[in-house]
Amino acid sequence: MADIIQLLPDHVANQIAAGEVVQRPASVVKELLENAIDAKAETIKLLVKDAGKTLVQVIDDGVGMSVTDARLSFERHATSKIRSAEDLFQLNTKGFRGEALASIAAIAHVELKTKQEQEEVGTTITIEGSEIVNQDVVVTPTGTSIAVKHLFFNIPARRNFLKSNTVETRHIIDEFQRVALAHPSISFVMYHNGSEVFNLPQSNYRQRIVNIFGPKTNEKLVPVNEDTDVLKISGFVGKPEYAKKSRGEQFFFVNNRFIKSAYLNHAITAAFEGLIKDGTHASYFLNLEVNPQTIDINIHPTKTEIKFDDEHTLYAILRASVKHSLGQFNIAPVLDFERDANLDTPYDYSNKSASTPTIEVDRSFNPFDAEKAIAPSRSNMASSSSFSGRKPASTAGWESMYVGMESKGTKSTQDFSEMQFESVESTASLFGENQMTSKQSSYQLQNKYVLSAIKSGMLVIDQHRAHQRILYEDFLKYITGKDTVSQQLLFPLQIQFSKQEHDIILNLKNDLEYAGFVFQNFENQMVEIIGLPINVPESEVSIILEQLISDVEHEVPDANFSAADLLAKSLAKSLAIKPGQSLNQTEQDHLVNSLFACKDPNVSPANKPTFITMTVDELDKKFM
């Protein structure tokens, strides 16, 4: 039998490796930024066009590469980071596999320009699909510039799997923020389609967080610092009152490398237990420094997963450190069961000296003296007015209680037929006539479902999904019809957003105005609102916009995607009545009638069923 096993060509092997290393344009951004950091750059520029599909370029002022290094950098498993397998447990660099540039060059057009400080001229290399097209001498500043163009040009199937520009840009920004947060001592600049998105100068960690997420973030941060033999923690957590429904501001860095860890995230959640509402997530920006020998980074090509030698110890230290910081800065409530609040001195009396209380006593007062009890003198009344005892009951003249009972003239008996009594015999029925004659058409079960009778049986309606469908069609009609009505606010509502969140709201401004929002100002990452849709309460505006931003960032658009449809879905999801909310009879009937007046009452905007039917036959079978 002929031999069937053969070695794959290098360009095929590189394309296979690219499937693990390069999943989307954001993966290219991450690898190139980390290479620039390993090159000891002080200033890094990121240029992106068409969400990275057309161009991803990273320019740094690092040490640069020689002619030989520039050529070898695109070979598989060629790296300057490690020399042996033991070096994997002493890593102080971002990269170590030697696969990134080779994988990127296999599926894109790459142009490299690099120069070392001691050299007069640099080197430029052009590669298309792993094939070197050109190598020449070039005049370029010290450092390295790598431009990745036409990503996945030779793998159309992979290119078709990419999402919309909005989603891909969101992933690129996420990767940029993670790298920038881990290295506040390096200056970062990002441009997208020629416009500046971020300009982050060298700063401390707190300033870097504020520069990325907006000036309002500064008042939300609580510092966390802990230094032990096992773990060193530094960074910040968000105050409980600023917890969000989305997970956008949760960052763990281990030895300046961003990681994802559900186990450590649970430690933060446990520290905030009882301080934040269910379904919300606290923000945190925490740097963890551990011995490199106690962790294993070589688990996944993205290097975002790490194995720890002793996760339980890290969990306990992290949870205790966060709780300590929340208590130290008076964020968490403290219960002192031994303190008596009645003994606390009011602020108004803190500087006053104590004085002897004056008490006036009527020493001649006798509670058993009938005359004084009935008609005390003026002096006694004046002196006894300060007496705090209970006034004795008068026993004199008890016959006066029956004065008027005798009839006028010679009658000695009372005509009781003319008297009015306080208690009158009630002959009314236990149930009112309205309650007995009215017919209840719907019922609410567990404050979650609405039951309604039909000819064939009954309907079981999910009130949350049904209300979503009703609001969705209403908002869609308002946005597309452009005839909505707004309610003006007495005082303008100002909400602070981060740079990318502000851009999302700005892009949706027209659709939001058609939905009923009225904006007055969009400057300095501040949104000023002076009008709201009729059914939007002012207290929930920030929550609604936050949910809208999250939906836009994580939406997976299809061919029929439109901003108006997404906006209508997001507003309906935020404003729909929640499970557990009690509805009266009128509200139940209105919900049922409005649902079946919709164009598609069967499913919610998320294509989930809004109701089910149970026929009489199905109910009969339950009793057989």
Side-chain angles (χ1 to χ4, degrees), residues 147-392:
V148 179
K149 306 175 183 178
H150 311 301
L151 191 65
F152 299 125
F153 79 100
N154 54 354
I155 312 179
R158 289 292 301 275
R159 191 176 182 88
N160 292 335
F161 276 109
L162 296 179
K163 309 303 180 185
S164 67
N165 286 354
T166 303
V167 176
E168 295 299 338
T169 303
R170 176 69 254 174
H171 286 287
I172 291 175
I173 291 177
D174 287 343
E175 293 293 348
F176 179 83
Q177 289 178 348
R178 293 165 182 173
V179 176
L181 282 172
H183 301 275
S185 60
I186 300 177
S187 174
F188 288 89
V189 183
M190 176 180 173
Y191 295 91
H192 184 234
N193 292 336
S195 61
E196 183 180 277
V197 181
F198 290 101
N199 190 348
L200 309 175
Q202 297 180 358
S203 61
N204 58 34
Y205 192 45
R206 188 179 194 121
Q207 290 173 336
R208 177 57 55 88
I209 296 173
V210 172
N211 289 336
I212 292 178
F213 294 100
K216 284 288 184 180
T217 311
N218 189 36
E219 63 186 35
K220 306 177 184 178
L221 300 179
V222 178
V224 178
N225 291 285
E226 190 67 38
D227 192 355
T228 65
D229 295 337
V230 180
L231 173 68
K232 183 178 180 181
I233 303 174
S234 62
F236 302 89
V237 295
K239 295 180 181 179
E241 59 265 29
Y242 296 105
K244 296 184 177 182
K245 291 186 176 181
S246 60
R247 297 178 179 267
E249 298 180 358
Q250 297 182 319
F251 297 90
F252 272 127
F253 302 97
V254 175
N255 295 350
N256 294 329
R257 183 191 301 275
F258 173 79
I259 68 162
K260 297 178 181 178
S261 175
Y263 187 68
L264 296 182
N265 178 74
H266 188 272
I268 305 296
T269 305
F272 277 90
E273 185 178 3
L275 300 178
I276 59 177
K277 298 179 181 179
D278 293 337
T280 59
H281 309 279
S283 303
Y284 55 81
F285 312 86
L286 296 176
N287 296 307
L288 312 180
E289 293 185 21
V290 298
N291 189 344
Q293 296 181 353
T294 62
I295 59 176
D296 185 5
I297 305 172
N298 191 23
I299 298 176
H300 194 272
T302 60
K303 301 186 283 288
T304 57
E305 299 178 12
I306 291 182
K307 280 189 176 180
F308 298 93
D309 280 354
D310 190 359
E311 282 187 331
H312 299 289
T313 301
L314 299 183
Y315 182 99
I317 296 175
L318 184 61
R319 178 177 177 270
S321 300
V322 174
K323 288 183 71 70
H324 174 70
S325 294
L326 293 175
Q328 181 181 6
F329 292 93
N330 295 326
I331 304 300
V334 179
L335 297 179
D336 186 0
F337 295 100
E338 298 181 356
R339 185 180 67 86
D340 188 357
N342 296 325
L343 299 179
D344 292 346
T345 304
Y347 292 109
D348 297 340
Y349 293 86
S350 58
N351 297 325
K352 292 184 178 181
S353 57
S355 59
T356 304
T358 57
I359 302 176
E360 296 182 1
V361 179
D362 182 12
R363 301 185 181 277
S364 62
F365 177 75
N366 184 2
F368 301 100
D369 191 345
E371 295 181 359
K372 289 186 179 181
I374 296 174
S377 62
R378 266 183 208 275
S379 59
N380 286 343
M381 288 189 66
S383 61
S384 63
S385 60
S386 60
F387 183 71
S388 59
R390 185 173 58 182
K391 183 178 179 180

Side-chain angles (χ1 to χ4, degrees), residues 58 64 165 219 225 279 571 589 595:
V58 173
N165 286 354
E219 63 186 35
N225 291 285
L571 292 177
D589 294 339
L595 174 64

Side-chain angles (χ1 to χ4, degrees), residues 39 60-66 69 114-117 142-144:
D60 67 71
D61 58 354
V63 296
M65 291 183 285
S66 65
D69 289 343
T114 183
K115 185 182 89 69
Q116 293 180 326
E117 186 177 4
T142 301
T144 303

Side-chain angles (χ1 to χ4, degrees), residues 540-551:
E540 297 186 6
V541 173
S542 59
I543 300 175
I544 293 172
L545 294 181
E546 176 187 326
Q547 181 65 50
L548 174 61
I549 292 170
S550 177
D551 291 341

Side-chain angles (χ1 to χ4, degrees), residues 35-36 39-44 58-66 70 112-119 121-124 138-146:
N35 283 342
K40 301 178 181 179
E42 295 182 356
T43 301
I44 300 176
V58 173
I59 305 171
D60 67 71
D61 58 354
V63 296
M65 291 183 285
S66 65
L112 168 68
K113 293 180 181 180
T114 183
K115 185 182 89 69
Q116 293 180 326
E117 186 177 4
Q118 67 273 14
E119 300 293 335
V121 293
T123 304
T124 178
V138 68
V139 177
T140 183
T142 301
T144 303
S145 170
I146 300 182

